[in-house]
Amino acid sequence: MELQGLTIGILKEIMENENRVAGIPETVKKMVDNGAKVLVESGAGLGSFYTDADYKNAGAEIINDPESIYNSADVILKVKEPLMNEAKNKHEVDMMKSNQVLISFLHPSNPINHDMVKKLAQKGVIGFSLDCIPRISRAQSMDALTSMSTVAGYKAIISAACRLPKFIPMITTAVGMFRPAIVFVVGTGVAGLQSLATAKRLGAEIYAADVRPDAVEQSKSLGAKIIDTGVPPEIAIGEGGYARHLSDEWIHKERQPFYEIVKKADIVVLSALVPRKIAPILVDETMVRSMKPGSVIVDIAIDQGGNCELTESGIICVKHNVTIDGTKNIPGSVALSASSMFAQNVLNFLSLIVKDGKININKSDEIIASALITENGKIVNPDVLEEIVSYKEHR
């Protein structure tokens, strides 16, 4: 049994409104059947409608005190990055121990998480960030970022629709016709494409922009009108088909065509991300000022800093009469589906780093090397380290 001898801890998420859980009864049973001892914090699954009894039936031990789990577990499974636990008056990192493995979304490129990543390294935690898993065929079953992007793209449009003070589809009434809302999506990877598809199903007129030709073609297939960024493919496309980190000069050129469409848009969804890098600013304050009163921006990229200059992390605010949604955990509002997907991704990744009941960090494996952020008291991911140093120098 591959997990024989390992103790795995599943914590209750403490981020506000975070209802997901890193392990569901189905995946817990697989861990237990594979030899692991699984500790689940009491109430960890309630936000996703899994009771403590469900976890007990799956073979888990229910623990009331999260610190006890941190003290006992070899592997910690979480959805979101470690935060300050107000109930314990302790940061979650301070409850961890040296050589403990943490598997979670760390979002290490986001400046607000830089200090947390440094603390993980100082503590000697072996930290894996699932949002850094490369987009390669072999990694698809572990690619939690893609799974959660599917959820986020869908919910971004639903959330925007609830705040938009007008109809989304074209509606004809006895007193006249209402034109369809205009939705502009920037970054048409998994989240962006799901946003386009959902907006189209609701009857919106859809526009899209992406620096990658393949993403543009996929947007066209959904019926979107394309806003050409003017960025050459050889500059735009990075490893694994992701967008490449662009210079300030190219980012400035990329956003120039956006001014006119943003001015017309009722909803703008921002999901342009670069792996292990701070998200580029593609909608500036001038664009926000130009938008129609009542318009909505949903900044899906907020976990890596956000694509809008005015987005406030974790906050829904109104600026220049435009609602700007900086919700950090959009998939948490679709917790049942999101937890099911995330938990399976985590289980598959765990299987990759364990051999014969021991943690096996094979750095020649592209997936492991890309996801590994901290080890042996250091930040070992070169891209993350570069991002932290660069941010510090530019402050």
Side-chain angles (χ1 to χ4, degrees):
M1 293 189 288
E2 279 296 300
L3 302 180
Q4 185 71 46
L6 283 179
T7 299
I8 298 171
I10 297 173
L11 279 298
K12 182 178 181 180
E13 298 298 320
I14 58 175
M15 178 178 283
E16 187 177 2
N17 298 321
E18 178 54 82
N19 294 311
R20 289 173 293 177
V21 63
I24 63 173
E26 178 185 343
T27 59
V28 166
K29 186 177 187 308
K30 290 178 181 178
M31 294 176 201
V32 172
D33 289 348
N34 213 6
K37 179 181 180 180
V38 181
L39 310 177
V40 177
E41 184 179 351
S42 179
L46 292 179
S48 297
F49 303 97
Y50 298 113
T51 66
D52 289 352
D54 294 330
Y55 286 104
K56 279 186 179 179
N57 292 336
E61 182 180 343
I62 305 301
I63 305 293
N64 289 323
D65 183 9
E67 193 163 10
S68 177
I69 297 178
Y70 283 113
N71 286 334
S72 303
D74 303 300
V75 179
I76 295 292
L77 306 182
K78 278 179 53 58
V79 178
K80 299 300 290 185
E81 67 269 26
L83 300 167
M84 183 67 184
N85 187 319
E86 300 296 343
K88 299 289 296 185
N89 196 29
K90 276 188 178 181
H91 198 285
E92 288 182 299
V93 175
D94 293 330
M95 291 187 263
M96 296 179 189
K97 57 187 179 181
S98 181
N99 292 319
Q100 191 168 55
V101 173
L102 170 65
I103 301 173
S104 180
F105 277 140
L106 297 179
H107 303 295
S109 296
N110 190 331
I112 67 172
N113 290 331
H114 288 178
D115 287 343
M116 177 272 296
V117 172
K118 292 175 187 175
K119 285 181 69 173
L120 282 176
Q122 292 163 3
K123 196 77 174 181
V125 174
I126 301 169
F128 288 99
S129 192
L130 295 173
D131 53 307
C132 295
I133 286 178
R135 182 173 286 174
I136 58 176
S137 298
R138 190 167 60 86
Q140 285 182 350
S141 66
M142 313 166 208
D143 190 353
L145 185 61
T146 291
S147 296
M148 296 304 99
S149 292
T150 300
V151 181
Y154 160 80
K155 190 57 183 284
I157 292 297
I158 301 301
S159 297
C162 290
R163 294 187 174 90
L164 191 70
K166 60 179 288 186
F167 295 128
I168 286 185
M170 181 177 72
I171 291 183
T172 303
T173 73
V175 293
M177 183 185 75
F178 292 86
R179 293 186 57 78
I182 293 175
V183 173
F184 177 42
V185 177
V186 182
T188 54
V190 175
L193 289 173
Q194 190 61 238
S195 288
L196 286 173
T198 304
K200 185 178 181 181
R201 285 192 290 267
L202 290 177
E205 183 179 343
I206 56 176
Y207 292 77
D210 199 294
V211 294
R212 299 162 296 171
D214 286 350
V216 168
E217 288 304 312
Q218 290 173 319
S219 302
K220 285 181 181 177
S221 72
L222 291 173
K225 298 174 184 176
I226 304 301
I227 305 300
D228 186 5
T229 64
V231 180
E234 61 270 19
I235 292 176
I237 304 171
E239 187 178 342
Y242 284 104
R244 179 180 288 167
H245 180 65
L246 301 178
S247 67
D248 290 344
E249 180 184 358
W250 275 111
I251 290 174
H252 176 74
K253 289 180 180 178
E254 178 184 355
R255 64 178 172 230
Q256 293 312 299
F258 296 171
Y259 283 92
E260 286 305 312
I261 181 60
V262 168
K263 187 186 300 184
K264 296 191 298 181
D266 298 291
I267 295 172
V268 175
V269 175
L270 302 171
S271 63
L273 294 173
V274 178
R276 299 176 295 278
K277 298 288 185 180
I278 296 174
I281 297 297
L282 299 175
V283 172
D284 59 21
E285 184 170 5
T286 300
M287 293 188 208
V288 177
R289 284 180 179 275
S290 75
M291 295 180 74
K292 294 174 286 188
S295 300
V296 180
I297 295 172
V298 182
D299 199 341
I300 298 177
I302 192 58
D303 281 319
Q304 286 179 221
N307 291 144
C308 176
E309 184 179 14
L310 299 184
T311 307
E312 295 185 29
S313 181
I315 293 173
I316 299 170
C317 59
V318 177
K319 296 182 180 181
H320 308 304
N321 289 317
V322 175
T323 299
I324 305 175
D325 188 342
T327 300
K328 286 192 65 178
N329 56 336
I330 293 175
S333 62
V334 194
L336 186 61
S337 295
S339 292
S340 178
M341 298 168 77
F342 186 87
Q344 192 60 55
N345 293 143
V346 167
L347 179 62
N348 291 335
F349 183 79
L350 182 64
S351 299
L352 180 69
I353 64 169
V354 174
K355 186 175 182 180
D356 299 326
K358 297 186 183 302
I359 301 299
N360 179 37
I361 303 175
N362 177 13
K363 295 178 186 175
S364 64
D365 186 304
E366 181 183 359
I367 300 171
I368 293 174
S370 296
L372 182 63
I373 308 300
T374 59
E375 184 191 28
N376 295 327
K378 299 178 182 178
I379 299 171
V380 296
N381 188 294
D383 290 332
V384 171
L385 189 57
E386 179 187 348
E387 197 66 42
I388 290 175
V389 172
S390 175
Y391 179 77
K392 185 177 180 181
E393 288 176 349
H394 285 85
R395 288 189 68 181

